[in-house]
Amino acid sequence: MREIKTVTILGANGAMGSGSAGVIAAFGGAKVHMLARDVEKAKQGIEAAVASVKTDTIRARMIPGSYDADLEKAVAESDWVFELVAESYEVKEPINTRIAKARRPGTIVSTVSSGLSIGRLAKAYDEDGQKHYYGTHFFNPPYKMILCELVTHSGNDKKVTQALGEYLEKVLGRAVVYTNDTPAFAGNRIGFQLMNEVAHFAEKYADKGGIALMDEIMSGYTGRAMGPLATADFVGLDVHKAIVDNIYDNTKDEAHETFKLPGYFQKLIDAGKLGMKSGGGLTKVVKHADGKREKFVYNIKTGEYDPYPKFDISFIKEARQKIKESDYKGAMDVVKKASGFEAEIARYFISRYISYSLSLVGEVVDTKENTDGAMGFGFNWVPASAFVDFLGGPKETIKMMDASKIPVPKLLKDAKEGKKFYELGDKLDARSLFKG
């Protein structure tokens, strides 16, 4: 792979395009062609890129342009073409046809996609183009979220893959996770499995607290900064639907049925209630005349919004206190021993998360460190392997899985007792991801 001195960004005015351009210009020192539908949008992208990395020094290296007037010329002089246009084959494939005609041999071309087939998109290119075509799934915002899922396909060259991975990691400061060309790759497949199944449980327990109860049960003491359903609201219910529908249609694993979109999600989407970006979805915040803000939550049974409830669940309070005292194993001991249906749900989903993460090793990724990295760096969730250690090791984890009737993956069955299971501790301190 040749040195990356010039980069073309396609989709430069979007949040991901401008954010990625900022990282490439600031850390990579590259000249960046910023292309959008028109020059004014490209200029807006430059301003957003400068703001994202909080330095004006990159402005001089960023050149605005449009797809119609500047794509071929910019691509022809680029060492990397980074495409971030809309998430559909109908938009990406015609752009790829143009890139393929203009690129020089040896130029890297990559796409940001949350689940489209990289192999299919690569078919627009000749043999050299396919060798140099990748998925580079940055997470938003790129300056703060350092994960990059580097997605390979059968036409790639291992030496190019290694060189690109080193560039992304050592030059651009990415936490690189290598994934195969499978639906939703690693992070979204694991993350949206949990989020969507929690959404189904919210409907099952609608009369006991529904959405709010599930996010309380799966709150910070289970190793995530934001509850799963709050995350869905943040991402957008329409985006959530696109991801789980893609996984449901294109996979057949043991968790297949959990990817069915809940009916109430579709009802909210049809009503334009897509989440935070639309002013409300699973929750909404109302500003009263006196300036005070009040949070409401969607009632799955009535279709109305109720005041967001507070919960007083003793084992959760006890686990949170243990975390505040930096006693993470103690917190998990509380979860393991607690009684009541809320504790059973917590154990079920911790078990499911560990099981599903480890089950993807071999199909989606080659090592568990890649799924651990995807969830730790991309979602800010405690990685599955770290949970095994916090729970007391493989035997204790399997015991909890068996009680929750969750499949035990072979990787865990074969693990040696007494040996540390989590191996990213020098790169990612999993303890920091628990919230008391």
Side-chain angles (χ1 to χ4, degrees):
M1 189 182 88
R2 64 172 177 262
E3 185 179 357
I4 294 177
K5 296 180 179 180
T6 303
V7 177
T8 291
I9 299 285
L10 302 170
N13 60 309
M16 279 294 294
S18 59
S20 301
V23 168
I24 292 166
F27 295 106
K31 179 173 81 171
V32 182
H33 290 283
M34 299 283 282
L35 304 190
R37 287 189 299 276
D38 59 62
V39 174
E40 286 308 309
K41 289 187 181 298
K43 289 178 178 177
Q44 292 170 14
I46 292 174
E47 295 307 312
V50 170
S52 73
V53 294
K54 300 179 174 60
T55 175
D56 198 58
T57 59
I58 66 171
R59 190 188 303 274
R61 296 196 294 275
M62 309 188 93
I63 304 162
S66 70
Y67 302 143
D68 288 344
D70 303 294
L71 187 147
E72 280 74 14
K73 181 181 177 183
V75 167
E77 69 169 83
S78 292
D79 305 301
W80 180 16
V81 179
F82 194 10
E83 173 269 299
L84 304 100
V85 299
E87 177 82 342
S88 76
Y89 293 117
E90 291 73 22
V91 177
K92 289 182 183 290
E93 288 178 333
I95 287 281
N96 273 337
T97 299
R98 291 179 65 187
I99 297 170
K101 291 178 181 178
R103 72 175 284 278
R104 293 177 291 159
T107 293
I108 296 290
V109 183
S110 70
T111 183
V112 167
S113 168
S114 60
L116 297 181
S117 168
I118 304 305
R120 171 174 167 175
L121 292 170
K123 289 179 180 177
Y125 298 87
D126 60 17
E127 185 178 350
D128 180 80
Q130 291 190 30
K131 183 191 297 185
H132 291 85
Y133 188 85
Y134 293 88
T136 44
H137 186 205
F138 282 30
F139 278 56
N140 197 26
Y143 185 67
K144 294 181 179 178
M145 302 298 288
I146 65 171
L147 177 67
C148 172
E149 289 185 310
L150 181 55
V151 189
T152 58
H153 61 94
S154 60
N156 288 131
D157 182 292
K158 289 184 178 180
K159 290 182 179 179
V160 177
T161 302
Q162 182 181 354
L164 179 57
E166 288 177 357
Y167 169 79
L168 290 165
E169 190 168 308
K170 295 178 180 178
V171 178
L172 298 189
R174 303 296 91 187
V176 178
V177 164
Y178 295 85
T179 82
N180 298 323
D181 187 16
T182 55
F185 316 129
N188 281 346
R189 182 138 163 203
I190 298 165
F192 281 82
Q193 187 287 317
L194 183 75
M195 290 156 59
N196 204 62
E197 191 171 12
V198 169
H200 282 290
F201 269 59
E203 188 166 26
K204 180 179 179 181
Y205 292 95
D207 60 343
K208 294 183 181 295
I211 292 164
L213 176 66
M214 288 304 116
D215 266 3
E216 177 72 6
I217 292 172
M218 297 305 296
S219 56
Y221 78 99
T222 68
R224 49 191 49 82
M226 187 184 292
L229 298 180
T231 303
D233 236 19
F234 176 77
V235 169
L237 303 189
D238 54 338
V239 175
H240 179 100
K241 171 183 167 61
I243 292 172
V244 298
D245 283 356
N246 177 43
I247 299 170
Y248 184 78
D249 289 343
N250 294 289
T251 64
K252 294 292 181 184
D253 60 30
E254 56 86 17
H256 182 250
E257 292 304 306
T258 69
F259 287 104
K260 276 187 178 178
L261 187 76
Y264 69 95
F265 267 50
Q266 188 63 59
K267 184 178 178 181
L268 286 165
I269 292 167
D270 292 343
K273 298 174 180 178
L274 305 179
M276 292 174 63
K277 64 185 177 184
S278 67
L282 302 177
T283 62
K284 68 176 181 178
V285 176
V286 174
K287 186 176 181 180
H288 296 295
D290 60 2
K292 290 183 179 179
R293 294 176 179 270
E294 185 178 5
K295 188 176 182 180
F296 291 81
V297 62
Y298 182 73
N299 185 314
I300 298 168
K301 286 193 167 183
T302 67
E304 304 295 329
Y305 285 89
D306 300 332
Y308 203 95
K310 291 183 178 180
F311 298 94
D312 185 17
I313 302 172
S314 60
F315 87 91
I316 294 178
K317 290 194 295 184
E318 190 178 345
R320 286 173 176 160
Q321 184 58 41
K322 292 286 186 183
I323 289 167
K324 287 178 182 177
E325 296 166 359
S326 299
D327 183 4
Y328 305 98
K329 286 187 176 180
M332 290 302 102
D333 281 341
V334 169
V335 175
K336 286 192 294 182
K337 296 173 183 176
S339 59
F341 81 95
E342 298 99 336
E344 289 177 2
I345 291 171
R347 289 190 290 268
Y348 174 88
F349 278 113
I350 293 171
S351 296
R352 168 70 89 179
Y353 171 59
I354 298 168
S355 172
Y356 198 63
S357 293
L358 297 180
S359 75
L360 298 185
V361 177
E363 176 201 352
V364 177
V365 296
D366 292 336
T367 69
K368 62 183 174 61
E369 284 66 53
N370 282 304
T371 51
D372 286 343
M375 301 319 296
F377 290 116
F379 277 71
N380 285 334
W381 289 7
V382 170
S385 296
F387 261 118
V388 174
D389 289 337
F390 291 130
L391 287 165
K395 285 184 180 179
E396 281 292 308
T397 304
I398 291 170
K399 182 179 175 182
M400 189 172 80
M401 285 181 175
D402 286 340
S404 297
K405 297 181 180 179
I406 292 292
V408 178
K410 185 177 185 300
L411 194 64
L412 194 59
K413 289 179 182 177
D414 294 344
K416 292 182 179 179
E417 198 66 29
K419 184 181 178 182
K420 204 170 184 181
F421 196 72
Y422 179 58
E423 298 181 45
L424 286 181
D426 58 332
K427 295 181 179 179
L428 178 66
D429 184 356
R431 296 171 298 182
S432 68
L433 301 175
F434 282 107
K435 305 298 176 186

